[in-house]
mmCIF file of all heavy atoms in Angstrom:
data_model
loop_
_atom_site.group_PDB
_atom_site.id
_atom_site.type_symbol
_atom_site.label_atom_id
_atom_site.label_comp_id
_atom_site.label_asym_id
_atom_site.label_seq_id
_atom_site.Cartn_x
_atom_site.Cartn_y
_atom_site.Cartn_z
ATOM 1 N N MET J 1 3.504 -76.021 -201.820
ATOM 2 C CA MET J 1 3.018 -76.876 -202.925
ATOM 3 C C MET J 1 3.319 -76.162 -204.166
ATOM 4 O O MET J 1 3.084 -75.008 -204.330
ATOM 5 C CB MET J 1 1.484 -77.083 -202.718
ATOM 6 C CG MET J 1 0.980 -78.294 -203.414
ATOM 7 S SD MET J 1 -0.791 -78.584 -203.297
ATOM 8 C CE MET J 1 -1.067 -78.880 -201.581
ATOM 9 N N ASP J 2 3.844 -76.933 -205.217
ATOM 10 C CA ASP J 2 4.164 -76.298 -206.448
ATOM 11 C C ASP J 2 2.953 -76.168 -207.295
ATOM 12 O O ASP J 2 1.919 -76.783 -207.065
ATOM 13 C CB ASP J 2 5.292 -77.066 -207.165
ATOM 14 C CG ASP J 2 4.970 -78.509 -207.404
ATOM 15 O OD1 ASP J 2 3.845 -78.751 -207.899
ATOM 16 O OD2 ASP J 2 5.837 -79.350 -207.255
ATOM 17 N N LYS J 3 3.038 -75.342 -208.302
ATOM 18 C CA LYS J 3 1.877 -75.019 -209.185
ATOM 19 C C LYS J 3 1.186 -76.285 -209.823
ATOM 20 O O LYS J 3 -0.009 -76.375 -209.840
ATOM 21 C CB LYS J 3 2.260 -73.983 -210.220
ATOM 22 C CG LYS J 3 2.445 -72.656 -209.612
ATOM 23 C CD LYS J 3 2.658 -71.554 -210.641
ATOM 24 C CE LYS J 3 2.838 -70.241 -209.897
ATOM 25 N NZ LYS J 3 2.717 -69.126 -210.818
ATOM 26 N N PRO J 4 1.912 -77.241 -210.416
ATOM 27 C CA PRO J 4 1.321 -78.375 -210.927
ATOM 28 C C PRO J 4 0.381 -79.198 -209.938
ATOM 29 O O PRO J 4 -0.637 -79.633 -210.200
ATOM 30 C CB PRO J 4 2.358 -79.244 -211.533
ATOM 31 C CG PRO J 4 3.497 -78.278 -211.803
ATOM 32 C CD PRO J 4 3.390 -77.259 -210.720
ATOM 33 N N LYS J 5 0.972 -79.285 -208.754
ATOM 34 C CA LYS J 5 0.237 -79.998 -207.648
ATOM 35 C C LYS J 5 -0.998 -79.203 -207.260
ATOM 36 O O LYS J 5 -2.003 -79.787 -206.959
ATOM 37 C CB LYS J 5 1.151 -80.252 -206.445
ATOM 38 C CG LYS J 5 2.170 -81.296 -206.721
ATOM 39 C CD LYS J 5 2.975 -81.574 -205.461
ATOM 40 C CE LYS J 5 4.036 -82.653 -205.712
ATOM 41 N NZ LYS J 5 4.816 -82.901 -204.518
ATOM 42 N N ILE J 6 -0.908 -77.919 -207.243
ATOM 43 C CA ILE J 6 -2.087 -77.139 -206.847
ATOM 44 C C ILE J 6 -3.172 -77.246 -207.959
ATOM 45 O O ILE J 6 -4.359 -77.363 -207.605
ATOM 46 C CB ILE J 6 -1.661 -75.608 -206.776
ATOM 47 C CG1 ILE J 6 -0.758 -75.372 -205.512
ATOM 48 C CG2 ILE J 6 -2.869 -74.673 -206.665
ATOM 49 C CD1 ILE J 6 -0.196 -73.991 -205.400
ATOM 50 N N LYS J 7 -2.779 -77.312 -209.223
ATOM 51 C CA LYS J 7 -3.795 -77.457 -210.235
ATOM 52 C C LYS J 7 -4.479 -78.902 -210.157
ATOM 53 O O LYS J 7 -5.671 -78.981 -210.302
ATOM 54 C CB LYS J 7 -3.142 -77.340 -211.651
ATOM 55 C CG LYS J 7 -2.796 -75.931 -211.962
ATOM 56 C CD LYS J 7 -2.154 -75.866 -213.330
ATOM 57 C CE LYS J 7 -1.782 -74.445 -213.701
ATOM 58 N NZ LYS J 7 -1.233 -74.325 -215.138
ATOM 59 N N ILE J 8 -3.701 -79.871 -209.834
ATOM 60 C CA ILE J 8 -4.237 -81.228 -209.682
ATOM 61 C C ILE J 8 -5.208 -81.280 -208.477
ATOM 62 O O ILE J 8 -6.273 -81.769 -208.568
ATOM 63 C CB ILE J 8 -3.112 -82.316 -209.471
ATOM 64 C CG1 ILE J 8 -2.354 -82.391 -210.856
ATOM 65 C CG2 ILE J 8 -3.688 -83.613 -209.044
ATOM 66 C CD1 ILE J 8 -1.109 -83.206 -210.725
ATOM 67 N N TYR J 9 -4.766 -80.597 -207.353
ATOM 68 C CA TYR J 9 -5.584 -80.553 -206.154
ATOM 69 C C TYR J 9 -6.905 -79.826 -206.491
ATOM 70 O O TYR J 9 -8.015 -80.340 -206.072
ATOM 71 C CB TYR J 9 -4.815 -79.830 -205.061
ATOM 72 C CG TYR J 9 -5.667 -79.530 -203.859
ATOM 73 C CD1 TYR J 9 -5.979 -80.546 -202.901
ATOM 74 C CD2 TYR J 9 -6.226 -78.279 -203.637
ATOM 75 C CE1 TYR J 9 -6.818 -80.252 -201.868
ATOM 76 C CE2 TYR J 9 -7.019 -77.976 -202.569
ATOM 77 C CZ TYR J 9 -7.346 -78.968 -201.661
ATOM 78 O OH TYR J 9 -8.159 -78.740 -200.627
ATOM 79 N N ARG J 10 -6.850 -78.739 -207.100
ATOM 80 C CA ARG J 10 -8.065 -77.949 -207.453
ATOM 81 C C ARG J 10 -9.018 -78.747 -208.324
ATOM 82 O O ARG J 10 -10.165 -78.745 -208.150
ATOM 83 C CB ARG J 10 -7.733 -76.635 -208.048
ATOM 84 C CG ARG J 10 -7.193 -75.662 -207.075
ATOM 85 C CD ARG J 10 -6.814 -74.326 -207.686
ATOM 86 N NE ARG J 10 -6.340 -73.414 -206.790
ATOM 87 C CZ ARG J 10 -5.577 -72.344 -206.990
ATOM 88 N NH1 ARG J 10 -5.341 -72.046 -208.279
ATOM 89 N NH2 ARG J 10 -5.160 -71.582 -206.110
ATOM 90 N N ARG J 11 -8.464 -79.444 -209.313
ATOM 91 C CA ARG J 11 -9.291 -80.269 -210.239
ATOM 92 C C ARG J 11 -9.974 -81.355 -209.495
ATOM 93 O O ARG J 11 -11.149 -81.663 -209.682
ATOM 94 C CB ARG J 11 -8.420 -80.796 -211.403
ATOM 95 C CG ARG J 11 -9.268 -81.497 -212.419
ATOM 96 C CD ARG J 11 -8.491 -81.919 -213.658
ATOM 97 N NE ARG J 11 -7.327 -82.785 -213.257
ATOM 98 C CZ ARG J 11 -6.062 -82.614 -213.515
ATOM 99 N NH1 ARG J 11 -5.680 -81.502 -214.076
ATOM 100 N NH2 ARG J 11 -5.174 -83.511 -213.208
ATOM 101 N N LYS J 12 -9.176 -82.060 -208.552
ATOM 102 C CA LYS J 12 -9.763 -83.198 -207.828
ATOM 103 C C LYS J 12 -10.840 -82.710 -206.883
ATOM 104 O O LYS J 12 -11.860 -83.322 -206.688
ATOM 105 C CB LYS J 12 -8.696 -83.958 -207.073
ATOM 106 C CG LYS J 12 -7.799 -84.781 -207.994
ATOM 107 C CD LYS J 12 -6.822 -85.634 -207.289
ATOM 108 C CE LYS J 12 -6.014 -86.487 -208.270
ATOM 109 N NZ LYS J 12 -5.181 -87.415 -207.550
ATOM 110 N N LYS J 13 -10.575 -81.575 -206.253
ATOM 111 C CA LYS J 13 -11.554 -80.996 -205.346
ATOM 112 C C LYS J 13 -12.795 -80.645 -206.057
ATOM 113 O O LYS J 13 -13.899 -80.907 -205.527
ATOM 114 C CB LYS J 13 -10.960 -79.701 -204.674
ATOM 115 C CG LYS J 13 -11.895 -79.110 -203.630
ATOM 116 C CD LYS J 13 -11.242 -77.959 -202.988
ATOM 117 C CE LYS J 13 -12.274 -77.204 -202.047
ATOM 118 N NZ LYS J 13 -11.751 -76.024 -201.487
ATOM 119 N N LYS J 14 -12.706 -80.026 -207.266
ATOM 120 C CA LYS J 14 -13.874 -79.717 -208.021
ATOM 121 C C LYS J 14 -14.653 -80.971 -208.409
ATOM 122 O O LYS J 14 -15.847 -81.023 -208.347
ATOM 123 C CB LYS J 14 -13.539 -78.899 -209.239
ATOM 124 C CG LYS J 14 -14.760 -78.497 -210.085
ATOM 125 C CD LYS J 14 -14.382 -77.685 -211.286
ATOM 126 C CE LYS J 14 -15.514 -77.246 -212.109
ATOM 127 N NZ LYS J 14 -16.823 -77.974 -211.958
ATOM 128 N N ASN J 15 -13.873 -81.942 -208.879
ATOM 129 C CA ASN J 15 -14.504 -83.244 -209.255
ATOM 130 C C ASN J 15 -15.334 -83.850 -208.049
ATOM 131 O O ASN J 15 -16.431 -84.352 -208.146
ATOM 132 C CB ASN J 15 -13.549 -84.254 -209.767
ATOM 133 C CG ASN J 15 -12.943 -83.831 -211.112
ATOM 134 O OD1 ASN J 15 -13.474 -82.999 -211.810
ATOM 135 N ND2 ASN J 15 -11.889 -84.460 -211.433
ATOM 136 N N PHE J 16 -14.689 -83.810 -206.864
ATOM 137 C CA PHE J 16 -15.301 -84.386 -205.628
ATOM 138 C C PHE J 16 -16.547 -83.624 -205.321
ATOM 139 O O PHE J 16 -17.558 -84.232 -205.078
ATOM 140 C CB PHE J 16 -14.258 -84.297 -204.496
ATOM 141 C CG PHE J 16 -14.786 -84.774 -203.220
ATOM 142 C CD1 PHE J 16 -15.059 -86.148 -203.073
ATOM 143 C CD2 PHE J 16 -15.007 -83.913 -202.127
ATOM 144 C CE1 PHE J 16 -15.567 -86.627 -201.834
ATOM 145 C CE2 PHE J 16 -15.457 -84.407 -200.913
ATOM 146 C CZ PHE J 16 -15.739 -85.843 -200.770
ATOM 147 N N THR J 17 -16.444 -82.207 -205.415
ATOM 148 C CA THR J 17 -17.597 -81.454 -205.046
ATOM 149 C C THR J 17 -18.748 -81.669 -206.155
ATOM 150 O O THR J 17 -19.889 -81.784 -205.728
ATOM 151 C CB THR J 17 -17.222 -79.916 -205.086
ATOM 152 O OG1 THR J 17 -16.169 -79.736 -204.163
ATOM 153 C CG2 THR J 17 -18.386 -79.004 -204.705
ATOM 154 N N ASP J 18 -18.427 -81.742 -207.293
ATOM 155 C CA ASP J 18 -19.466 -82.078 -208.371
ATOM 156 C C ASP J 18 -20.060 -83.420 -208.158
ATOM 157 O O ASP J 18 -21.275 -83.549 -208.286
ATOM 158 C CB ASP J 18 -18.758 -82.077 -209.729
ATOM 159 C CG ASP J 18 -18.364 -80.689 -210.244
ATOM 160 O OD1 ASP J 18 -18.808 -79.650 -209.619
ATOM 161 O OD2 ASP J 18 -17.617 -80.575 -211.196
ATOM 162 N N GLU J 19 -19.267 -84.383 -207.771
ATOM 163 C CA GLU J 19 -19.874 -85.703 -207.440
ATOM 164 C C GLU J 19 -20.848 -85.681 -206.223
ATOM 165 O O GLU J 19 -21.906 -86.277 -206.202
ATOM 166 C CB GLU J 19 -18.713 -86.752 -207.214
ATOM 167 C CG GLU J 19 -19.195 -88.146 -207.098
ATOM 168 C CD GLU J 19 -19.933 -88.715 -208.301
ATOM 169 O OE1 GLU J 19 -19.588 -88.289 -209.389
ATOM 170 O OE2 GLU J 19 -20.824 -89.624 -208.105
ATOM 171 N N LEU J 20 -20.418 -84.935 -205.234
ATOM 172 C CA LEU J 20 -21.316 -84.772 -204.044
ATOM 173 C C LEU J 20 -22.650 -84.131 -204.484
ATOM 174 O O LEU J 20 -23.676 -84.537 -204.090
ATOM 175 C CB LEU J 20 -20.665 -83.930 -203.015
ATOM 176 C CG LEU J 20 -19.431 -84.547 -202.253
ATOM 177 C CD1 LEU J 20 -18.871 -83.539 -201.295
ATOM 178 C CD2 LEU J 20 -19.882 -85.812 -201.531
ATOM 179 N N LYS J 21 -22.592 -83.106 -205.359
ATOM 180 C CA LYS J 21 -23.803 -82.420 -205.820
ATOM 181 C C LYS J 21 -24.635 -83.403 -206.643
ATOM 182 O O LYS J 21 -25.864 -83.451 -206.517
ATOM 183 C CB LYS J 21 -23.465 -81.290 -206.641
ATOM 184 C CG LYS J 21 -22.941 -80.071 -205.758
ATOM 185 C CD LYS J 21 -22.654 -78.852 -206.630
ATOM 186 C CE LYS J 21 -22.107 -77.710 -205.799
ATOM 187 N NZ LYS J 21 -21.766 -76.577 -206.562
ATOM 188 N N ASN J 22 -23.984 -84.269 -207.414
ATOM 189 C CA ASN J 22 -24.733 -85.271 -208.195
ATOM 190 C C ASN J 22 -25.456 -86.267 -207.287
ATOM 191 O O ASN J 22 -26.518 -86.790 -207.659
ATOM 192 C CB ASN J 22 -23.779 -86.047 -209.089
ATOM 193 C CG ASN J 22 -23.284 -85.166 -210.220
ATOM 194 O OD1 ASN J 22 -23.916 -84.221 -210.682
ATOM 195 N ND2 ASN J 22 -22.166 -85.592 -210.813
ATOM 196 N N LYS J 23 -24.940 -86.509 -206.082
ATOM 197 C CA LYS J 23 -25.430 -87.375 -205.140
ATOM 198 C C LYS J 23 -26.505 -86.770 -204.254
ATOM 199 O O LYS J 23 -27.067 -87.393 -203.359
ATOM 200 C CB LYS J 23 -24.410 -88.090 -204.297
ATOM 201 C CG LYS J 23 -23.334 -88.834 -205.066
ATOM 202 C CD LYS J 23 -23.974 -90.067 -205.681
ATOM 203 C CE LYS J 23 -22.863 -90.891 -206.394
ATOM 204 N NZ LYS J 23 -23.318 -91.969 -207.183
ATOM 205 N N GLY J 24 -26.670 -85.389 -204.470
ATOM 206 C CA GLY J 24 -27.719 -84.736 -203.668
ATOM 207 C C GLY J 24 -27.158 -84.038 -202.414
ATOM 208 O O GLY J 24 -27.944 -83.562 -201.623
ATOM 209 N N ILE J 25 -25.875 -84.001 -202.259
ATOM 210 C CA ILE J 25 -25.311 -83.290 -201.141
ATOM 211 C C ILE J 25 -24.922 -81.840 -201.601
ATOM 212 O O ILE J 25 -23.950 -81.644 -202.273
ATOM 213 C CB ILE J 25 -24.068 -84.017 -200.583
ATOM 214 C CG1 ILE J 25 -24.427 -85.421 -200.066
ATOM 215 C CG2 ILE J 25 -23.372 -83.216 -199.414
ATOM 216 C CD1 ILE J 25 -23.310 -86.267 -199.685
ATOM 217 N N GLU J 26 -25.744 -80.889 -201.230
ATOM 218 C CA GLU J 26 -25.502 -79.498 -201.644
ATOM 219 C C GLU J 26 -25.439 -78.493 -200.515
ATOM 220 O O GLU J 26 -24.795 -77.486 -200.713
ATOM 221 C CB GLU J 26 -26.670 -79.108 -202.610
ATOM 222 C CG GLU J 26 -26.706 -79.894 -203.916
ATOM 223 C CD GLU J 26 -27.715 -79.421 -204.899
ATOM 224 O OE1 GLU J 26 -28.301 -78.290 -204.642
ATOM 225 O OE2 GLU J 26 -28.004 -80.105 -205.879
ATOM 226 N N ARG J 27 -25.994 -78.784 -199.368
ATOM 227 C CA ARG J 27 -25.884 -77.850 -198.296
ATOM 228 C C ARG J 27 -24.565 -77.889 -197.619
ATOM 229 O O ARG J 27 -23.943 -79.005 -197.531
ATOM 230 C CB ARG J 27 -27.002 -78.153 -197.226
ATOM 231 C CG ARG J 27 -28.390 -78.062 -197.752
ATOM 232 C CD ARG J 27 -29.424 -78.361 -196.769
ATOM 233 N NE ARG J 27 -28.921 -79.110 -195.600
ATOM 234 C CZ ARG J 27 -29.615 -79.605 -194.661
ATOM 235 N NH1 ARG J 27 -30.864 -79.409 -194.666
ATOM 236 N NH2 ARG J 27 -29.057 -80.267 -193.657
ATOM 237 N N SER J 28 -24.051 -76.765 -197.202
ATOM 238 C CA SER J 28 -22.797 -76.748 -196.563
ATOM 239 C C SER J 28 -22.662 -77.570 -195.312
ATOM 240 O O SER J 28 -21.639 -78.137 -195.005
ATOM 241 C CB SER J 28 -22.366 -75.322 -196.228
ATOM 242 O OG SER J 28 -23.296 -74.716 -195.410
ATOM 243 N N LYS J 29 -23.791 -77.777 -194.539
ATOM 244 C CA LYS J 29 -23.803 -78.603 -193.326
ATOM 245 C C LYS J 29 -23.556 -80.018 -193.739
ATOM 246 O O LYS J 29 -22.904 -80.667 -193.024
ATOM 247 C CB LYS J 29 -25.102 -78.377 -192.568
ATOM 248 C CG LYS J 29 -25.174 -77.138 -191.737
ATOM 249 C CD LYS J 29 -26.414 -77.144 -190.908
ATOM 250 C CE LYS J 29 -26.376 -75.939 -189.930
ATOM 251 N NZ LYS J 29 -27.456 -75.950 -189.037
ATOM 252 N N ASP J 30 -24.210 -80.482 -194.809
ATOM 253 C CA ASP J 30 -23.980 -81.856 -195.279
ATOM 254 C C ASP J 30 -22.610 -82.094 -195.710
ATOM 255 O O ASP J 30 -21.995 -83.128 -195.404
ATOM 256 C CB ASP J 30 -24.978 -82.182 -196.453
ATOM 257 C CG ASP J 30 -26.397 -82.063 -196.072
ATOM 258 O OD1 ASP J 30 -26.714 -82.331 -194.894
ATOM 259 O OD2 ASP J 30 -27.247 -81.893 -197.014
ATOM 260 N N PHE J 31 -22.044 -81.110 -196.441
ATOM 261 C CA PHE J 31 -20.596 -81.233 -196.887
ATOM 262 C C PHE J 31 -19.693 -81.246 -195.633
ATOM 263 O O PHE J 31 -18.793 -82.094 -195.627
ATOM 264 C CB PHE J 31 -20.270 -80.100 -197.787
ATOM 265 C CG PHE J 31 -18.921 -80.179 -198.360
ATOM 266 C CD1 PHE J 31 -18.638 -81.077 -199.401
ATOM 267 C CD2 PHE J 31 -17.926 -79.368 -197.928
ATOM 268 C CE1 PHE J 31 -17.344 -81.185 -199.932
ATOM 269 C CE2 PHE J 31 -16.584 -79.510 -198.435
ATOM 270 C CZ PHE J 31 -16.314 -80.325 -199.363
ATOM 271 N N ALA J 32 -19.979 -80.366 -194.713
ATOM 272 C CA ALA J 32 -19.146 -80.380 -193.535
ATOM 273 C C ALA J 32 -19.176 -81.709 -192.683
ATOM 274 O O ALA J 32 -18.200 -82.168 -192.275
ATOM 275 C CB ALA J 32 -19.566 -79.194 -192.622
ATOM 276 N N ALA J 33 -20.384 -82.228 -192.583
ATOM 277 C CA ALA J 33 -20.528 -83.485 -191.862
ATOM 278 C C ALA J 33 -19.759 -84.633 -192.591
ATOM 279 O O ALA J 33 -19.086 -85.385 -191.955
ATOM 280 C CB ALA J 33 -21.984 -83.852 -191.738
ATOM 281 N N LEU J 34 -19.887 -84.705 -193.970
ATOM 282 C CA LEU J 34 -19.144 -85.608 -194.687
ATOM 283 C C LEU J 34 -17.635 -85.464 -194.561
ATOM 284 O O LEU J 34 -16.923 -86.470 -194.398
ATOM 285 C CB LEU J 34 -19.575 -85.615 -196.096
ATOM 286 C CG LEU J 34 -18.916 -86.653 -197.046
ATOM 287 C CD1 LEU J 34 -19.182 -88.108 -196.527
ATOM 288 C CD2 LEU J 34 -19.460 -86.491 -198.464
ATOM 289 N N THR J 35 -17.172 -84.276 -194.607
ATOM 290 C CA THR J 35 -15.727 -83.958 -194.450
ATOM 291 C C THR J 35 -15.266 -84.443 -193.128
ATOM 292 O O THR J 35 -14.179 -85.034 -193.015
ATOM 293 C CB THR J 35 -15.562 -82.488 -194.634
ATOM 294 O OG1 THR J 35 -15.891 -82.017 -195.957
ATOM 295 C CG2 THR J 35 -13.997 -82.126 -194.452
ATOM 296 N N ASP J 36 -16.064 -84.193 -192.101
ATOM 297 C CA ASP J 36 -15.715 -84.622 -190.748
ATOM 298 C C ASP J 36 -15.591 -86.176 -190.637
ATOM 299 O O ASP J 36 -14.644 -86.735 -190.087
ATOM 300 C CB ASP J 36 -16.697 -84.054 -189.728
ATOM 301 C CG ASP J 36 -16.169 -84.164 -188.332
ATOM 302 O OD1 ASP J 36 -14.987 -83.763 -188.083
ATOM 303 O OD2 ASP J 36 -16.908 -84.586 -187.444
ATOM 304 N N ILE J 37 -16.504 -86.830 -191.270
ATOM 305 C CA ILE J 37 -16.479 -88.297 -191.284
ATOM 306 C C ILE J 37 -15.277 -88.843 -191.976
ATOM 307 O O ILE J 37 -14.552 -89.711 -191.508
ATOM 308 C CB ILE J 37 -17.763 -88.892 -191.873
ATOM 309 C CG1 ILE J 37 -18.941 -88.616 -190.995
ATOM 310 C CG2 ILE J 37 -17.645 -90.345 -192.153
ATOM 311 C CD1 ILE J 37 -20.289 -88.823 -191.691
ATOM 312 N N LEU J 38 -14.956 -88.281 -193.152
ATOM 313 C CA LEU J 38 -13.847 -88.755 -193.994
ATOM 314 C C LEU J 38 -12.508 -88.414 -193.271
ATOM 315 O O LEU J 38 -11.627 -89.253 -193.273
ATOM 316 C CB LEU J 38 -13.869 -88.093 -195.331
ATOM 317 C CG LEU J 38 -15.001 -88.511 -196.246
ATOM 318 C CD1 LEU J 38 -15.001 -87.709 -197.535
ATOM 319 C CD2 LEU J 38 -14.919 -90.021 -196.598
ATOM 320 N N THR J 39 -12.427 -87.245 -192.686
ATOM 321 C CA THR J 39 -11.211 -86.923 -191.876
ATOM 322 C C THR J 39 -10.978 -87.835 -190.725
ATOM 323 O O THR J 39 -9.874 -88.212 -190.472
ATOM 324 C CB THR J 39 -11.318 -85.468 -191.476
ATOM 325 O OG1 THR J 39 -11.467 -84.643 -192.608
ATOM 326 C CG2 THR J 39 -10.042 -85.039 -190.690
ATOM 327 N N SER J 40 -12.090 -88.159 -190.027
ATOM 328 C CA SER J 40 -12.020 -89.045 -188.922
ATOM 329 C C SER J 40 -11.544 -90.455 -189.311
ATOM 330 O O SER J 40 -10.669 -91.121 -188.655
ATOM 331 C CB SER J 40 -13.365 -89.124 -188.184
ATOM 332 O OG SER J 40 -13.307 -90.037 -187.172
ATOM 333 N N ILE J 41 -12.115 -90.925 -190.413
ATOM 334 C CA ILE J 41 -11.702 -92.240 -190.886
ATOM 335 C C ILE J 41 -10.236 -92.260 -191.369
ATOM 336 O O ILE J 41 -9.496 -93.184 -191.024
ATOM 337 C CB ILE J 41 -12.562 -92.750 -192.097
ATOM 338 C CG1 ILE J 41 -13.995 -92.987 -191.602
ATOM 339 C CG2 ILE J 41 -11.992 -93.937 -192.774
ATOM 340 C CD1 ILE J 41 -15.027 -93.203 -192.618
ATOM 341 N N TRP J 42 -9.799 -91.195 -191.975
ATOM 342 C CA TRP J 42 -8.451 -91.088 -192.506
ATOM 343 C C TRP J 42 -7.413 -90.942 -191.412
ATOM 344 O O TRP J 42 -6.405 -91.570 -191.432
ATOM 345 C CB TRP J 42 -8.379 -89.993 -193.557
ATOM 346 C CG TRP J 42 -6.989 -89.680 -193.936
ATOM 347 C CD1 TRP J 42 -6.178 -90.342 -194.771
ATOM 348 C CD2 TRP J 42 -6.260 -88.437 -193.628
ATOM 349 N NE1 TRP J 42 -4.996 -89.734 -194.948
ATOM 350 C CE2 TRP J 42 -4.978 -88.530 -194.256
ATOM 351 C CE3 TRP J 42 -6.518 -87.345 -192.838
ATOM 352 C CZ2 TRP J 42 -4.038 -87.559 -194.074
ATOM 353 C CZ3 TRP J 42 -5.604 -86.336 -192.677
ATOM 354 C CH2 TRP J 42 -4.350 -86.505 -193.312
ATOM 355 N N SER J 43 -7.736 -89.977 -190.496
ATOM 356 C CA SER J 43 -6.704 -89.650 -189.511
ATOM 357 C C SER J 43 -6.992 -90.139 -188.119
ATOM 358 O O SER J 43 -6.070 -90.057 -187.241
ATOM 359 C CB SER J 43 -6.570 -88.068 -189.502
ATOM 360 O OG SER J 43 -7.728 -87.526 -188.924
ATOM 361 N N GLY J 44 -8.146 -90.484 -187.800
ATOM 362 C CA GLY J 44 -8.541 -90.874 -186.426
ATOM 363 C C GLY J 44 -8.986 -89.699 -185.576
ATOM 364 O O GLY J 44 -9.195 -89.789 -184.397
ATOM 365 N N TYR J 45 -8.949 -88.483 -186.250
ATOM 366 C CA TYR J 45 -9.360 -87.285 -185.523
ATOM 367 C C TYR J 45 -10.514 -86.547 -186.252
ATOM 368 O O TYR J 45 -10.524 -86.690 -187.480
ATOM 369 C CB TYR J 45 -8.192 -86.281 -185.424
ATOM 370 C CG TYR J 45 -7.071 -86.755 -184.648
ATOM 371 C CD1 TYR J 45 -5.913 -87.370 -185.276
ATOM 372 C CD2 TYR J 45 -7.019 -86.636 -183.249
ATOM 373 C CE1 TYR J 45 -4.848 -87.729 -184.591
ATOM 374 C CE2 TYR J 45 -5.906 -87.129 -182.521
ATOM 375 C CZ TYR J 45 -4.854 -87.683 -183.150
ATOM 376 O OH TYR J 45 -3.860 -88.135 -182.455
ATOM 377 N N THR J 46 -11.384 -85.907 -185.555
ATOM 378 C CA THR J 46 -12.400 -85.067 -186.203
ATOM 379 C C THR J 46 -11.742 -83.750 -186.611
ATOM 380 O O THR J 46 -10.662 -83.445 -186.256
ATOM 381 C CB THR J 46 -13.609 -84.803 -185.284
ATOM 382 O OG1 THR J 46 -13.164 -84.047 -184.233
ATOM 383 C CG2 THR J 46 -14.223 -86.111 -184.777
ATOM 384 N N VAL J 47 -12.455 -83.021 -187.418
ATOM 385 C CA VAL J 47 -11.907 -81.741 -187.925
ATOM 386 C C VAL J 47 -11.698 -80.808 -186.667
ATOM 387 O O VAL J 47 -10.717 -80.111 -186.653
ATOM 388 C CB VAL J 47 -12.890 -81.152 -188.933
ATOM 389 C CG1 VAL J 47 -12.451 -79.724 -189.275
ATOM 390 C CG2 VAL J 47 -13.063 -81.988 -190.148
ATOM 391 N N LYS J 48 -12.588 -80.807 -185.715
ATOM 392 C CA LYS J 48 -12.385 -79.946 -184.562
ATOM 393 C C LYS J 48 -11.205 -80.308 -183.691
ATOM 394 O O LYS J 48 -10.659 -79.448 -183.038
ATOM 395 C CB LYS J 48 -13.700 -79.923 -183.707
ATOM 396 C CG LYS J 48 -14.848 -79.297 -184.308
ATOM 397 C CD LYS J 48 -16.004 -79.322 -183.407
ATOM 398 C CE LYS J 48 -17.215 -78.630 -184.027
ATOM 399 N NZ LYS J 48 -18.375 -78.549 -183.136
ATOM 400 N N GLU J 49 -10.801 -81.549 -183.728
ATOM 401 C CA GLU J 49 -9.663 -81.998 -182.923
ATOM 402 C C GLU J 49 -8.382 -81.560 -183.599
ATOM 403 O O GLU J 49 -7.380 -81.443 -183.079
ATOM 404 C CB GLU J 49 -9.693 -83.467 -182.738
ATOM 405 C CG GLU J 49 -10.841 -83.960 -181.882
ATOM 406 C CD GLU J 49 -10.942 -85.486 -181.830
ATOM 407 O OE1 GLU J 49 -10.740 -86.186 -182.829
ATOM 408 O OE2 GLU J 49 -11.312 -85.946 -180.781
#
């Protein structure tokens, strides 16, 4: 990944994390569960798969 794409990715990841915190999702277990759900919807696989 080139440097501009990395900067964009980091900014979007921070914005996403900040939005989760604003919604009350702060524990790492909550974040992991949400990540697993989103990954499953997007790819059809869970994170463990």
